[in-house]
Amino acid sequence: MNFIKKLLYTVAVIALPFTSFAQSDADEKPKENWQNLDLKNDGVFGISTEKAYNELLKGKTSKPVIVAVIDGGIDEKHEDLKQVMWVNPKEIAANGIDDDKNGYIDDIHGWNFLGKVHHDNMEVVRLVNKLQPKYAAALNSTPFSEEERKEFQLYKKLVTDYMARLQQAKMGFQNTTLILKHLDEILVKMGKTEPTIVDFNDYKSEGDIESQVVKFIKPEIKKSSYKEFRQELEEGIKHYDTQIKYHLNLEYDPRKDSIGDNYANSYEKFYGNNDITGPDAEHGSHVAGIIGAVRSNNLGIKGIADNVKIMALRTVPDGDERDKDVANSIRYAVDNGAKIINMSFGKAYSWDKKVVDEAVKYAVSRDVLLVHAAGNDGKNTEKEDNVPNRLFADSTGVTMGNAEGWIEVGASGWKNDEDLVASFSNYGGKSVDVFAPGVKINSTMPDSKYKENDGTSMASPVVAGLAALIRSYYPQFTAVQVKDIIMNSVTKVDQKVKIREEGNSTKVPVSQISVSGGVVNAYNALILAEKTNSTASVKSK
């Protein structure tokens, strides 16, 4: 993610040969399993999971907790996940019958509300298409009614946003392709296929653009390898190409023939299939591993929680998720026993916020805790929307209460310094509850592989895993009690941290950019849970 943003910036500079630009130092590598380590004992700002297991949980019994992962799909056969996948006890696999009569045939590990959909639009594209027939000819006129005026203002905002995104994607694709072209020409001149940093240091650039390309490449290869750099460069090209072809294509509609639902009916429930893996299960598998990868099998990684069952709900395509699918996934999770729902996704606009709000209210009423990623735009979500969110809104957008059983999670790194809050993480004094590890998190990937990823998408399952850990050892606690324990047991951050605000870098207290003012901590949370439980026991006598 950060590499792609750097590419966009760098290639824009390459187009202006006389402009200089700064490069970051080589990235450091955190300790293995750092998100579960302890600041005092291990020197990294993890959540002290291992300390909690070693000092607080030995000999204690726990109960399994179902955690629903609403995402893009999960590899249920992964070596580190297959033992922790939820299995529907009332369904017989592969018999083509809805044994439990819940409306979903052969839903063994969960459900796929996307059918065959892989790529999809961004919500801004769908909304432009929705409003364009009504307002495209009215850009220079004023609609009459107050409702039309508000809708027209929204349409103009959407069009402006859409055009900016499309321009950025086209520029990114064009210039990133240019970097690859010049790189290949340089390799021919070098006579190398896998050059080293020494080869680039010795290379004599021909012309300003080639010089800029080499200047960009050298520190990237220094901190990894040419092979890894090349792979990231090609992924960057793929990223921009996908945006142009699918995410921002006004004529692309994958929904029409791939799912079989009536999209206009937000309350339709029964569509999709039982393929919870789908065509791209990387993101969802990574999230699932952070929550509950098997801790005792000496394979791969260690999840946060040691007694969970992962329910898979394929809902998030390569593009923006649809509100109807999100609402149905939440309801499915609740109806099938999930006590925690992780949602590592978000978008700037909502097609039908009401249907999601109603599903969230349903989950809260059934004592389910919802954990949501704050987003990766480096923005203040008190000023910029990131939906879904805890706020319930009426048809005019006016806030009408909020979900108590909801935790919004920003991302933090492993260093206890001014860079603690990840540069990409959204923040907000009233909109983001806590921060949790979300930088260079190693976790499960399809085909029993592992990979480091960054994002609030990684921070959210850290908190979901912590919530599952608490509910597992203290099943008597309600969802709201678990949230309160997590919020009140964070490790407070003393120093100011860097954020970007209105385009400028500034330093602020963590208490100013989150409700809790700190990073979640499993050790502290379990101590507080035990204290809360003991107090409740005394009062009940």
Side-chain angles (χ1 to χ4, degrees):
M1 178 185 57
N2 288 333
F3 179 80
I4 291 173
K5 287 183 177 179
K6 190 186 292 184
L7 278 174
L8 181 63
Y9 170 74
T10 304
V11 295
V13 172
I14 288 173
L16 303 169
F18 301 104
T19 305
S20 63
F21 59 94
Q23 289 282 358
S24 61
D25 295 330
D27 288 357
E28 295 180 42
K29 293 280 288 184
K31 291 183 177 180
E32 184 179 346
N33 191 38
W34 80 264
Q35 69 272 18
N36 287 317
L37 301 184
D38 180 72
L39 180 58
K40 183 179 179 180
N41 295 342
D42 306 300
V44 288
F45 214 134
I47 73 164
S48 309
T49 318
E50 304 305 337
K51 182 180 178 182
Y53 278 109
N54 291 332
E55 298 183 17
L56 302 177
L57 297 178
K58 283 184 177 179
K60 289 193 174 183
T61 58
S62 62
K63 294 184 177 180
V65 174
I66 300 173
V67 181
V69 174
I70 301 179
D71 216 290
I74 296 175
D75 178 8
E76 73 272 24
K77 297 179 181 179
H78 192 288
E79 64 181 10
D80 233 358
L81 295 176
K82 59 186 179 182
Q83 288 180 235
V84 298
M85 293 302 298
W86 172 73
V87 177
N88 186 344
K90 299 178 182 179
E91 196 76 10
I92 300 171
N95 67 354
I97 299 171
D98 181 16
D99 301 289
D100 59 1
K101 296 182 171 49
N102 67 351
Y104 303 98
I105 296 173
D106 291 338
D107 55 326
I108 299 299
H109 300 298
W111 195 251
N112 169 20
F113 285 100
L114 293 179
K116 298 177 182 178
V117 169
H118 182 190
H119 305 287
D120 205 341
N121 312 119
M122 299 187 75
E123 195 75 280
V124 65
V125 170
R126 301 171 200 144
L127 290 170
V128 167
N129 274 330
K130 178 182 179 181
L131 297 177
Q132 192 156 277
K134 186 175 182 180
Y135 293 113
L139 284 173
N140 297 315
S141 61
T142 304
F144 293 103
S145 73
E146 179 67 16
E147 184 177 345
E148 284 181 320
R149 187 188 69 78
K150 288 182 179 180
E151 195 173 64
F152 181 55
Q153 291 300 319
L154 172 61
Y155 173 69
K156 289 197 293 184
K157 177 185 177 182
L158 289 166
V159 170
T160 300
D161 188 10
Y162 168 72
M163 293 305 295
R165 291 171 185 261
L166 183 61
Q167 181 182 11
Q168 186 183 63
K170 287 182 175 179
M171 183 179 73
F173 179 75
Q174 177 181 339
N175 291 331
T176 309
T177 303
L178 183 65
I179 287 183
L180 186 61
K181 173 180 176 293
H182 283 287
L183 174 59
D184 286 339
E185 291 174 356
I186 290 169
L187 295 190
V188 171
K189 294 173 185 177
M190 283 183 175
K192 304 272 186 177
T193 56
E194 290 195 16
T196 65
I197 185 64
V198 174
D199 295 319
F200 280 101
N201 285 335
D202 293 341
Y203 182 74
K204 305 299 181 183
S205 300
E206 299 176 6
D208 292 326
I209 293 181
E210 195 169 276
S211 176
Q212 291 280 23
V213 170
V214 171
K215 188 176 181 180
F216 174 73
I217 290 171
K218 285 166 67 175
E220 296 298 326
I221 292 179
K222 187 177 180 180
K223 68 187 181 187
S224 55
S225 67
Y226 171 77
K227 185 177 181 181
E228 289 178 21
F229 166 75
R230 177 93 185 196
Q231 182 180 350
E232 288 187 322
L233 184 63
E234 290 172 351
E235 286 177 358
I237 293 173
K238 181 181 177 182
H239 166 80
Y240 290 120
D241 185 51
T242 299
Q243 285 194 321
I244 295 166
K245 285 182 178 177
Y246 306 113
H247 301 173
L248 298 169
N249 185 348
L250 290 167
E251 297 180 356
Y252 180 67
D253 181 12
R255 192 88 181 189
K256 190 174 181 181
D257 302 314
S258 301
I259 296 181
D261 70 321
N262 174 14
Y263 185 58
N265 180 6
S266 292
Y267 294 93
E268 180 184 10
K269 294 182 179 180
F270 305 117
Y271 58 90
N273 60 46
N274 68 343
D275 176 15
I276 62 160
T277 305
D280 183 359
E282 290 192 0
H283 191 274
S285 297
H286 201 273
V287 166
I290 294 168
I291 295 169
V294 179
R295 294 181 56 82
S296 58
N297 61 359
N298 295 318
L299 295 172
I301 64 161
K302 293 181 178 180
I304 305 287
D306 66 345
N307 197 355
V308 292
K309 296 297 178 184
I310 301 293
M311 178 189 293
L313 288 156
R314 185 170 177 264
T315 312
V316 185
D318 180 10
D320 279 346
E321 65 283 353
R322 303 209 181 207
D323 293 338
K324 175 180 179 177
D325 302 335
V326 171
N328 280 328
S329 294
I330 292 172
R331 289 182 179 276
Y332 179 98
V334 174
D335 290 341
N336 287 278
K339 301 308 291 181
I340 294 154
I341 298 175
N342 186 81
M343 299 180 290
S344 290
F345 55 83
K347 55 189 178 181
Y349 305 98
S350 181
W351 179 277
D352 188 352
K353 192 173 190 307
K354 179 184 176 183
V355 73
V356 178
D357 285 351
E358 289 174 351
V360 170
K361 289 177 182 177
Y362 179 63
V364 171
S365 74
R366 297 283 293 272
D367 191 34
V368 176
L369 183 64
L370 300 107
V371 185
H372 183 245
N376 301 327
D377 301 308
K379 295 179 178 179
N380 185 345
T381 51
E382 290 183 88
K383 300 177 181 179
E384 308 261 359
D385 284 339
N386 178 50
V387 290
N389 54 39
R390 78 177 96 233
L391 303 176
F392 303 134
D394 66 12
S395 58
T396 65
V398 176
T399 299
M400 304 289 288
N402 63 82
E404 288 188 16
W406 180 291
I407 303 182
E408 192 79 2
V409 187
S412 56
W414 65 91
K415 290 184 178 181
N416 186 25
D417 59 15
E418 63 182 17
D419 294 313
L420 176 65
V421 172
S423 60
F424 55 78
S425 179
N426 286 349
Y427 55 88
K430 295 180 181 178
S431 55
V432 172
D433 292 306
V434 295
F435 288 95
V439 179
K440 291 189 179 294
I441 305 298
N442 189 38
S443 189
T444 46
M445 297 289 275
D447 301 320
S448 293
K449 295 179 181 177
Y450 302 85
K451 181 183 177 183
E452 287 182 354
N453 278 335
D454 301 343
T456 57
S457 283
M458 285 61 254
S460 181
V462 168
V463 177
L466 172 54
L469 184 63
I470 297 169
R471 297 204 88 164
S472 179
Y473 283 89
Y474 298 90
Q476 68 273 28
F477 289 158
T478 67
V480 173
Q481 284 179 306
V482 171
K483 174 186 174 179
D484 289 343
I485 287 170
I486 291 172
M487 296 278 288
N488 292 322
S489 62
V490 298
T491 301
K492 298 288 185 177
V493 179
D494 296 327
Q495 76 277 3
K496 291 184 177 181
V497 297
K498 288 192 293 188
I499 61 167
R500 291 198 66 80
E501 191 168 28
E502 298 179 355
N504 299 311
S505 179
T506 184
K507 294 180 184 179
V508 297
V510 175
S511 59
Q512 188 176 311
I513 57 171
S514 67
V515 179
S516 68
V519 176
V520 300
N521 188 277
Y523 184 83
N524 294 345
L526 287 165
I527 287 177
L528 182 56
E530 181 60 32
K531 188 180 297 183
T532 303
N533 183 53
S534 298
T535 302
S537 298
V538 169
K539 287 182 178 180
S540 65
K541 290 181 179 179

